[in-house]
Amino acid sequence: MYRRRRRAYFVMMGACLVLFVSAWAFVRLWSMPAAIAMCVVAMVIPPVAAMVANRKGPEDRWWDEPAPGSRPRTPPKSDKGGPTGRTGPTGDPESDAWWDELDGKKRRRQ
């Protein structure tokens, strides 16, 4: 699957280069609107190629999925501190004050 996606990516990027080079090497001599249209088409190809190259195949493991045959990992149980999910002090007084303000524990002095 990886080989197929990589090949598709390089074919699409090769087509993009061919469109750009041919548009400004010789198509512009024949028709400027056609050269501009070719460049617009070539401009759309790189994002599409990146999406094709990075899509997940049916047998691909994603970064947050457990390995096949392994037990799913359960997150440790902790007390959700406030709306931000922070549970305790960080050790930096300025940072702690900022987090407390976000969590609504302390109001900002004005």
Side-chain angles (χ1 to χ4, degrees):
M1 212 44 155
Y2 174 71
R3 179 181 281 168
R4 186 181 325 160
R5 288 193 317 252
R6 190 173 60 180
R7 187 178 308 132
Y9 175 79
F10 284 116
V11 165
M12 291 175 83
M13 292 306 288
C16 177
L17 284 174
V18 167
L19 281 171
F20 269 124
V21 170
S22 64
W24 297 114
F26 57 88
V27 174
R28 70 177 170 88
L29 301 173
W30 172 64
S31 169
M32 187 58 87
I36 293 171
M38 288 172 68
C39 284
V40 168
V41 170
M43 179 180 67
V44 174
I45 292 175
V48 173
M51 286 186 273
V52 166
N54 290 319
R55 81 170 170 244
K56 179 181 175 240
E59 70 275 348
D60 290 342
R61 242 185 49 177
W62 208 238
W63 66 274
D64 61 346
E65 292 178 353
S70 70
R71 291 184 321 147
R73 194 176 140 252
T74 57
K77 298 195 190 274
S78 65
D79 176 36
K80 296 271 184 185
T84 58
R86 189 175 69 87
T87 58
T90 62
D92 177 24
E94 186 177 344
S95 178
D96 290 338
W98 185 76
W99 279 109
D100 288 341
E101 182 183 334
L102 282 177
D103 288 338
K105 293 180 182 175
K106 291 183 184 175
R107 295 290 173 218
R108 188 179 207 191
R109 293 183 191 168
Q110 295 188 5

